[in-house]
Amino acid sequence: MTIADKSAAATGRVILVGAGPGAADLLTLRAARALAAADVVVHDGLVGADVMAMVPAGARLVSVAKRRDRHTMQQADIGALLVREAQAGHVVVRLKGGDPFIFGRGGEEVSACNAAGIAVEVIPGVSAALGGAAAALMPLTHRDHASIVSFVAGECRGLADQNWVGLAGKGRTLVIYMGVTGADRIAEKLIGDGLAPDTPVAILERATLADMRVLRACLADLGGLVAREAVISPALIIVGDVATLGADAALTQITKALPCPIS
């Protein structure tokens, strides 16, 4: 490595930035400053258009969008890309939907940077669960309803490999990321683990954006609700009594009628 190469490596760094659930004005001030200083922005597919509009004109954009059945770039290759760009002396912003450490694989990317001796920083973002619940006026905790909150991924591993026993029930809220495609199997699993079929559930689709929808049902009808309303990702599933809370007047889309009684 030449002296010039060493100098470039010393100035290059990686910043993992949480872009939040969609709305640009939910970015933190620190996130906005990092984005303004970026030479290279490596971004997810779910980052909102308004957030992408904040990328400086001179920055190079690299999409590493992932979908359930298609990955633009494998995770190991993303880590290698971040390291390579930082070693070239660039300020690299890794722009992630939600928060980098909530189902964002941020830990893997930090490890890749650490292993290569690259300076790395993480700027937290508003997670989809927190942003969506706030937009729907649906508290994830409430003295009368829930004092425990659990976050699970519906697609990261096979359902049979996951132990969800005790994560949902009286006094608890379960938030399921990436669960739309397997909603019917998720309902079957939770009911099989002992959760009552009439447990309230809500789906928060396109959280915090202008066309956000909040849909409600009971657990037994979760799969049917997804099919009837043609729910698409990104969407969250909220399981528990707090799913009955919220003010529909605050939403663009009127909440659908419940297909089974929830009081």
Side-chain angles (χ1 to χ4, degrees), residues 84-138:
R84 187 166 61 250
E85 292 290 351
Q87 287 175 335
H90 299 142
V91 175
V92 185
V93 167
R94 174 67 173 101
L95 194 59
K96 293 175 167 291
D99 179 89
F101 282 175
I102 302 292
F103 302 124
R105 300 193 178 183
E108 297 172 50
E109 292 169 8
V110 167
S111 293
C113 292
N114 286 338
I118 298 298
V120 60
E121 176 187 357
V122 177
I123 299 177
V126 175
S127 71
L130 300 184
L137 303 185
M138 184 183 296

Side-chain angles (χ1 to χ4, degrees), residues 27-159:
L27 259 69
T28 64
L29 293 175
R30 183 179 294 183
R33 287 196 294 267
L35 201 54
D39 299 313
V40 180
V41 176
V42 180
H43 63 94
D44 286 345
L46 294 179
V47 175
D50 289 345
V51 175
M52 293 303 300
M54 297 173 64
V55 175
R60 178 159 46 91
L61 293 174
V62 181
S63 173
V64 291
K66 293 180 180 179
R67 288 291 186 265
R68 182 172 179 266
D69 57 352
R70 178 180 58 82
H71 288 188
T72 301
M73 189 178 294
Q74 296 300 313
Q75 188 60 44
D77 295 329
I78 294 173
L81 169 67
L82 299 178
V83 167
R84 187 166 61 250
E85 292 290 351
Q87 287 175 335
H90 299 142
V91 175
V92 185
V93 167
R94 174 67 173 101
L95 194 59
K96 293 175 167 291
D99 179 89
F101 282 175
I102 302 292
F103 302 124
R105 300 193 178 183
E108 297 172 50
E109 292 169 8
V110 167
S111 293
C113 292
N114 286 338
I118 298 298
V120 60
E121 176 187 357
V122 177
I123 299 177
V126 175
S127 71
L130 300 184
L137 303 185
M138 184 183 296
L140 297 180
T141 66
H142 190 291
R143 284 197 303 167
D144 297 331
H145 299 287
S147 59
I148 298 173
V149 181
S150 299
F151 299 152
V152 302
E155 291 183 2
C156 281
R157 298 169 61 194
L159 285 179

